[in-house]
Amino acid sequence: MDNRQNHIVFFDGVCSLCQAWVRFLIKRDKSKKFYFSSLQSEFAQSMIPDSGLSSSIDSIIYYSNGKFSIKSSAALKILRDLGGLWTIPAVLYLIPVFIRDGIYDIIARNRYKLFGKSNQSCELLNEDEQVRVLH
């Protein structure tokens, strides 16, 4: 893996909410530190099982500094690494993980009903942004 790719966000490539999250991050990531890979990609399928995580995890996964995080912890670490005012939600770490992940799971379970499903992964990204998507 390329050394620049130390901050990888794995996401459900057909989930409209997840795609919106990726677009949100790309727009605010001025230093271009984040890379993205859909959970359905060959890259994710080759990397995730080697991490000790199940390849059937239905969650956002964040790879940073050689470690994987999932669910609410992944989202909070991504915001922390985005920097600036986006580090403020880190106070949510004070909420026990079982509560944070419980809320995360409710949203994740209903995300297709609430936000829809897309046939294309990372639609609406321009050419410059597509470079940061790992297949």
Side-chain angles (χ1 to χ4, degrees):
M1 179 172 35
D2 189 323
N3 213 13
R4 295 173 298 139
Q5 298 165 356
N6 191 33
H7 301 277
I8 303 172
V9 177
F10 295 94
F11 65 98
D12 181 348
V14 296
C15 169
S16 295
L17 174 63
C18 303
Q19 290 180 16
W21 172 243
V22 168
R23 286 189 300 275
F24 169 88
L25 292 171
I26 285 175
K27 184 176 180 180
R28 287 155 183 84
D29 181 20
K30 303 301 181 201
S31 64
K32 298 183 179 184
K33 77 164 65 169
F34 292 106
Y35 287 80
F36 305 90
S37 180
S38 79
L39 290 168
Q40 295 84 0
S41 72
E42 287 183 29
F43 178 79
Q45 293 301 309
S46 69
M47 193 168 171
I48 292 171
D50 290 343
S51 70
L53 296 172
S54 167
S55 60
S56 65
I57 286 183
D58 192 19
S59 162
I60 188 170
I61 301 173
Y62 182 47
Y63 173 82
S64 177
N65 299 317
K67 296 180 183 175
F68 288 86
S69 301
I70 62 171
K71 299 185 179 188
S72 65
S73 295
L76 291 173
K77 287 178 181 178
I78 291 166
L79 289 173
R80 176 200 66 201
D81 289 349
L82 190 57
L85 293 175
W86 300 110
T87 61
I88 293 172
V91 300
L92 295 175
Y93 270 111
L94 298 173
I95 298 171
V97 71
F98 74 92
I99 294 173
R100 286 188 283 125
D101 282 352
I103 294 167
Y104 181 97
D105 289 340
I106 291 168
I107 295 168
R109 234 184 344 266
N110 295 293
R111 69 186 182 273
Y112 296 141
K113 283 187 265 181
L114 296 171
F115 302 100
K117 211 171 177 181
S118 171
N119 293 332
Q120 280 189 332
S121 179
C122 288
E123 59 187 25
L124 303 177
L125 295 181
N126 67 36
E127 199 173 304
D128 183 47
E129 296 164 341
Q130 281 289 342
V131 171
R132 295 169 58 199
V133 176
L134 307 171
H135 302 282

